[in-house]
Amino acid sequence: MGQTHRNDIRNIIIIAHVDHGKTTLVDAMLKQSKVFRDSEQLGQFIMDQNPLEREKGITILAKNTAVIYRGIKINIIDTPGHADFSGEVERTANMADGCLLLVDSVEGPMPQTKFVLRQALQGGLKPIVVINKTDRENSRIAEVVSLTQDLFLELATNADQLDFPVLYASARDGIAVTDLGSEGSDLVPLFECILQQVPPPAIEDGPFQMLVSNLDYDNYKGKIAIGRILRGKVSPHDPVVTLNSDGNPLNQEISQVFTHLGLERLEVEEAMAGDIVAVTGLDRISIGDTIASPEQPHALPGIHVGEPTLKMTFGVNTSPFAGREGQFCTSRHLRARLFRELETNISLRVQETGSPDIFLVCGRGELHLAILIETMRREGYEFQVSKPEAITKTVNDILLEPVESLTIDTEEEYIGVLTEILSKRQARLVDMRNDGEGNVHLVFHIPTRGLVGFRNAFLTATRGEGVMNTLFLGHEPWVGEIVAVRGGVLVASAAGVAVTYGLNNAQGRGITFIEPGAQVYEGMIVGSTSRGRDIPVNICKEKKQTNIRSSTSDIAVKLVPPLRMSLEEALGFVNDDELVEVTPKNIRLRKKLLVERERIRAGHAARRSLDEETD
């Protein structure tokens, strides 16, 4: 078949490590391309419309937008920078012909930079490097450019990829220049570089064909399939054939065709090869499926993403408070929601277990799973989840586990405490660099299970004076058990309402998690203790009234404020015999076995089983 090019369009993907300025740069490109009316109040982080993205300050979902520059349409794909959402990069890179690699002028190339650049170069994308935040006082631009060149030497798949332009930008100010030191006023040099360096999309002769790279959903339009047209053209009401990974054809019909401009989807009467489009009317469609003309229903290669590294169970809430706070509480609701998530979250895996009320969910990391839990919680779901565990596999009778590269930037005074914490988590130091000014760069190789709950310990150990990043390396032989890094917990021994007198007694044994007036049930975890065993406490116990003391004397008691845990902290805190109860209003910690008598009996049984194995 013949091949031509469309010179009126460019398709680019923006990739970088988290917090290096991707979304800010897209904001500036949208504003300077005048795709919005002057009267529109835009604010910051225009692309991050998801409330969770705005709260956490990170991009979670890949998104499409487009601008017009000198009559040429530039389709832009904004991608997440966090390693846990790298599946978003893997499935959207096939829509682009070029990539903008953003690198922070201070931090330089980071672990996720390496991952996303490898994906882009393997896909044959033409790279453009943008050194961002050049206006920062402590920027080290020359060194960062050198480190970026070293990264290209390591990852490039052909010599042409080593010939890349470098621009210097301040995305916050909307400025880019080609020569360091020259004055800039706008992003015109960046737009010009995109037009010159990014090749126009190649067009094959033949009838319509496209690969679905993303899915969206609308209450009125139903499923919306997003992808780049590889050949032919498409119009509303065109008959098409959809082919899944098994190659099974299904006849369907396109209802509407949309293209992107700014934040809007514009309905069009026709879209051609090279366009990134969104089509409706296809009820049975998944990411990685091919949509083709009935004349030539040939399937394209599917989208392959890396395997998940962590697993945890999602189950129906079985606590005494079940059904009080959630709108969707049954196994039917939970199952439908989890399997619906698979349609768009292709890095996720969901499996049914021997119990109809419990599902095994596998993801890329703690944050990947925590975002799913938080999203479901806000949608009104009530359920309980277990501690995240690493996914192991056996090859040639050798047990393998996922291992990650942990990069830490902090001050040298914290080296000792961090090394001690990480050695208990089976981490090994592979690189350490000191800049001579009291700052250190540490690189560890650590099992994925050793990272569970580490972030909170890291922030405490460094007093917030540190940055950590991780990158999945692969599977290595099991390195042994990890030393317990947590003490015991305070477990409620009776149900009722927490009172000051009971909490004051509990605070003599540890740190409490709840405040007076909170409802508790037997088996609920209400605090932590440094002792190596769990301690039952009755925080609902009130002071007896006598002719000497009155119950109102508790007013003078001053309690230590309770420790409030975020969802990520709760997931990292719980042990194997504990669960996190998640509802739209509360996050509670509990024992799997609520009754103390049953927990003691289970402990005796576990010890007997261990003794028998030893014998």
Side-chain angles (χ1 to χ4, degrees):
M1 288 188 178
Q3 196 176 76
T4 57
H5 292 83
R6 275 189 66 179
N7 290 312
D8 63 335
I9 201 167
R10 299 290 188 276
N11 297 320
I12 62 166
I13 185 171
I14 299 187
I15 56 178
H17 189 80
V18 66
D19 201 32
H20 279 200
K22 297 178 306 303
T23 304
T24 306
L25 182 66
V26 175
D27 285 359
M29 294 173 75
L30 288 168
K31 290 173 181 176
Q32 291 191 23
S33 61
K34 302 295 184 183
V35 296
F36 302 110
R37 297 188 304 273
D38 293 335
S39 59
E40 287 188 73
Q41 299 295 319
L42 300 174
Q44 293 181 311
F45 311 122
I46 303 170
M47 294 294 289
D48 288 346
Q49 298 295 316
N50 186 317
L52 267 177
E53 292 180 316
R54 287 185 170 269
E55 286 176 26
K56 294 184 176 292
I58 59 173
T59 300
I60 296 172
L61 303 171
K63 306 173 191 68
N64 295 82
T65 186
V67 300
I68 304 292
Y69 177 74
R70 288 204 294 139
I72 296 177
K73 184 176 184 179
I74 302 174
N75 285 308
I76 303 169
I77 306 160
D78 184 20
T79 62
H82 198 287
D84 282 20
F85 308 108
S86 51
E88 298 286 307
V89 180
E90 292 170 315
R91 67 176 172 78
T92 53
N94 63 75
M95 289 193 281
D97 299 295
C99 66
L100 292 186
L101 175 68
L102 260 70
V103 183
D104 190 292
S105 65
V106 177
E107 295 183 354
M110 299 292 281
Q112 182 68 359
T113 313
K114 183 176 181 178
F115 175 84
V116 293
L117 181 60
R118 182 189 290 120
Q119 296 292 324
L121 296 181
Q122 287 177 350
L125 304 186
K126 177 69 176 178
I128 297 172
V129 173
V130 179
I131 307 298
N132 193 24
K133 306 183 184 180
T134 54
D135 54 335
R136 291 176 64 174
E137 291 182 5
N138 55 344
S139 61
R140 49 190 186 109
I141 299 171
E143 185 180 350
V144 167
V145 171
S146 176
L147 290 170
T148 305
Q149 290 170 337
D150 292 344
L151 191 61
F152 270 85
L153 281 170
E154 179 184 347
L155 301 177
T157 56
N158 60 67
D160 293 340
Q161 292 174 335
L162 299 176
D163 181 23
F164 55 87
V166 180
L167 285 85
Y168 308 91
S170 171
R172 183 186 60 184
D173 299 329
I175 296 171
V177 295
T178 53
D179 299 311
L180 187 61
S182 59
E183 289 291 328
S185 57
D186 51 32
L187 292 176
V188 167
L190 177 60
F191 285 123
E192 291 289 342
C193 186
I194 291 171
L195 298 193
Q196 294 169 13
Q197 297 291 329
V198 177
I203 310 301
E204 291 186 6
D205 294 336
F208 173 66
Q209 186 185 45
M210 76 174 254
L211 183 70
V212 179
S213 300
N214 201 356
L215 280 182
D216 200 355
Y217 185 82
D218 185 275
N219 288 332
Y220 300 101
K221 300 182 179 71
K223 281 187 180 180
I224 302 173
I226 301 169
R228 171 177 159 183
I229 303 176
L230 294 183
R231 72 179 188 210
K233 56 186 179 180
V234 65
S235 300
H237 308 298
D238 278 358
V240 293
V241 173
T242 58
L243 301 106
N244 58 23
S245 57
D246 298 327
N248 298 325
L250 179 67
N251 292 310
Q252 300 193 70
E253 182 180 299
I254 301 286
S255 293
Q256 296 168 291
V257 181
F258 299 87
T259 58
H260 298 87
L261 184 63
L263 300 182
E264 297 181 358
R265 288 196 181 117
L266 305 179
E267 189 171 0
V268 295
E269 290 302 314
E270 184 179 78
M272 303 176 66
D275 282 323
I276 293 177
V277 297
V279 299
T280 65
L282 310 177
D283 294 331
R284 295 168 62 182
I285 194 76
S286 301
I287 292 174
D289 289 359
T290 301
I291 309 174
S293 167
E295 299 174 26
Q296 290 187 22
H298 299 153
L300 292 162
I303 297 173
H304 300 285
V305 300
E307 291 299 311
T309 57
L310 282 181
K311 63 182 179 181
M312 63 194 305
T313 61
F314 282 52
V316 173
N317 187 11
T318 57
S319 85
F321 293 170
R324 292 188 185 183
E325 299 171 354
Q327 183 181 356
F328 308 109
C329 312
T330 67
S331 58
R332 178 174 60 85
H333 288 136
L334 186 61
R335 183 185 188 282
R337 177 63 182 84
L338 288 174
F339 280 92
R340 189 167 75 244
E341 182 71 19
L342 294 178
E343 295 179 357
T344 55
N345 196 340
I346 60 172
S347 300
L348 201 72
R349 304 285 186 274
V350 178
Q351 301 171 18
E352 297 188 9
T353 65
S355 169
D357 296 336
I358 298 176
F359 302 90
L360 184 67
V361 180
C362 307
R364 280 283 179 92
E366 265 188 291
L367 186 61
H368 185 208
L369 294 167
I371 291 294
L372 170 62
I373 295 168
E374 182 64 26
T375 302
M376 291 174 60
R377 184 173 86 92
R378 296 185 181 200
E379 291 172 356
Y381 287 84
E382 180 180 312
F383 52 100
Q384 60 192 24
V385 297
S386 67
K387 175 186 177 179
E389 299 176 20
I391 300 174
T392 59
K393 59 183 181 181
T394 302
V395 178
N396 297 329
D397 295 328
I398 299 174
L399 182 63
L400 304 179
E401 64 174 332
V403 175
E404 304 195 32
S405 172
L406 169 65
T407 305
I408 293 176
D409 291 280
T410 186
E411 297 175 6
E412 58 185 9
E413 63 180 287
Y414 304 121
I415 294 176
V417 65
L418 285 174
T419 305
E420 181 183 356
I421 292 172
L422 287 166
S423 64
K424 294 178 180 177
R425 295 171 176 266
Q426 297 288 2
R428 63 182 190 274
L429 182 66
V430 295
D431 188 21
M432 180 171 70
R433 294 196 297 272
N434 193 315
D435 67 354
E437 298 180 2
N439 300 312
V440 290
H441 177 80
L442 307 169
V443 181
F444 293 86
H445 286 179
I446 181 172
T448 298
R449 59 196 167 100
L451 286 171
V452 175
F454 173 68
R455 184 175 295 275
N456 194 39
F458 168 75
L459 293 173
T460 303
T462 60
R463 301 173 187 173
E465 296 290 334
V467 177
M468 60 170 279
N469 294 286
T470 60
L471 180 66
F472 176 66
L473 293 176
H475 286 78
E476 294 182 7
W478 180 272
V479 292
E481 293 299 324
I482 289 177
V483 178
V485 293
R486 196 200 80 180
V489 290
L490 305 178
V491 186
S493 60
V497 178
V499 295
T500 303
Y501 181 74
L503 285 169
N504 188 47
N505 289 336
Q507 288 190 347
R509 301 179 176 185
I511 301 169
T512 54
F513 298 160
I514 61 174
E515 57 192 13
Q519 293 272 351
V520 299
Y521 53 81
E522 182 182 2
M524 181 172 156
I525 297 172
V526 296
S528 65
T529 174
S530 57
R531 302 179 191 180
R533 60 183 180 84
D534 297 340
I535 302 174
V537 292
N538 184 2
I539 59 172
C540 306
K541 183 180 180 181
E542 297 184 6
K543 183 185 289 187
K544 296 262 192 309
Q545 294 185 34
T546 69
N547 59 347
I548 298 173
R549 298 189 180 98
S550 69
S551 62
T552 56
S553 64
D554 278 351
I555 295 172
V557 175
K558 287 190 176 180
L559 294 174
V560 177
L563 174 65
R564 298 284 188 187
M565 283 193 187
S566 66
L567 177 60
E568 290 94 333
E569 290 170 339
L571 293 175
F573 179 83
V574 292
N575 273 339
D576 295 335
D577 64 335
E578 297 162 0
L579 297 169
V580 181
E581 179 186 349
V582 181
T583 77
K585 295 181 180 179
N586 289 291
I587 294 172
R588 303 184 184 95
L589 307 180
R590 53 161 288 187
K591 288 290 184 180
K592 285 184 178 179
L593 299 175
L594 297 178
V595 181
E596 183 183 4
R597 182 176 62 254
E598 295 178 359
R599 294 197 297 273
I600 293 172
R601 192 180 299 137
H604 290 327
R607 280 191 291 274
R608 279 198 304 271
S609 175
L610 186 62
D611 291 340
E612 290 172 3
E613 289 180 8
T614 306
D615 294 340

